[in-house]
Amino acid sequence: MEPPSAATELLMQDATAPEPVPKTGAIHPLIEAARGAQKEFRLRRRARRVQLAAWAGLAVLTLAPAIGVLAFPEQVVAAVPGSIGLYGWMGREVNIYGLEIRKVDLQHLIVDGRKVIAIKGELTNVSSTERKIPWLRFGLRSKDNAEVYHWTLDTEVRPLRPGESTSFVTRLASPPDAARNLEIRFARADEVGSDNGP
């Protein structure tokens, strides 16, 4: 075997020689730039999160009253009675009494030669608390929905516990001939004790 020539020796030295180490001054700016970019990214991300949190807080503050109005209509109407019109406009019926009128039965009778209507029904506490029963208001309406007669009834029943029911009965002698429909609801304070025509 021939000894390697000087040229071959030089090539072998170049292939096995370690690469020259760059000066530290050239790497330092790259490291600093990378650190600066990371810091700027973190700051932008934090600012974005703060901005999103601020918008979310504003949305909650803006929507909370509307959600409260929709979620608690009975409490809103109890606090602001005029708001019942708003719920009516939205097509929502608000039961501020926590009571329902159920199983209404209307009978036409003849007693001693006179027409009499007898109305029976049931009142049920559908709330989660004990409820007093307000006076009931009965209205007779004509075929064109005009009220032709009304009266009120004090059921004189103790307050009902949640889920409890009680019955009521009322009679009216000689109802107006024009009466075609019956409306039953809870009486307003200014209607209590009234028994007369429209």
Side-chain angles (χ1 to χ4, degrees):
M1 192 169 193
E2 290 181 29
S5 69
T8 308
E9 221 175 274
L10 186 61
L11 281 175
M12 287 175 62
Q13 281 179 358
D14 283 349
T16 58
E19 291 191 24
V21 178
K23 295 179 182 173
T24 56
I27 293 178
H28 185 68
L30 292 175
I31 293 173
E32 287 302 316
R35 286 182 183 155
Q38 286 177 340
K39 185 176 181 181
E40 187 177 332
F41 175 76
R42 282 194 300 269
L43 289 173
R44 275 196 216 145
R45 186 171 51 185
R46 187 178 303 141
R48 212 175 15 232
R49 286 181 182 164
V50 168
Q51 188 178 24
L52 285 174
W55 280 111
L58 179 63
V60 167
L61 288 175
T62 304
L63 295 176
I67 292 169
V69 165
L70 293 174
F72 305 105
E74 289 84 10
Q75 290 83 349
V76 171
V77 171
V80 185
S83 64
I84 199 159
L86 172 67
Y87 288 103
W89 177 78
M90 291 189 309
R92 289 192 63 187
E93 199 172 304
V94 179
N95 183 348
I96 61 171
Y97 300 103
L99 302 167
E100 283 185 3
I101 301 169
R102 299 177 173 175
K103 300 181 183 177
V104 175
D105 181 35
L106 172 66
Q107 298 176 344
H108 294 273
L109 309 170
I110 302 292
V111 178
D112 296 329
R114 293 171 58 190
K115 290 183 187 178
V116 174
I117 57 171
I119 304 162
K120 295 189 260 185
E122 186 177 274
L123 297 168
T124 303
N125 181 350
V126 294
S127 75
S128 59
T129 59
E130 187 173 88
R131 297 291 182 141
K132 288 183 178 179
I133 299 177
W135 285 52
L136 294 175
R137 185 184 189 278
F138 300 84
L140 296 176
R141 297 186 169 274
S142 65
K143 65 180 178 182
D144 60 349
N145 209 31
E147 188 172 83
V148 294
Y149 191 82
H150 72 265
W151 72 101
T152 56
L153 172 70
D154 180 6
T155 59
E156 299 179 352
V157 176
R158 63 168 175 71
L160 295 178
R161 292 185 299 273
E164 189 176 16
S165 296
T166 188
S167 60
F168 66 87
V169 177
T170 185
R171 291 180 177 80
L172 177 67
S174 304
D177 291 333
R180 295 291 179 271
N181 299 308
L182 173 69
E183 175 188 61
I184 306 172
R185 62 175 173 80
F186 297 107
R188 294 188 302 264
D190 61 337
E191 297 171 328
V192 170
S194 64
D195 294 341
N196 54 26

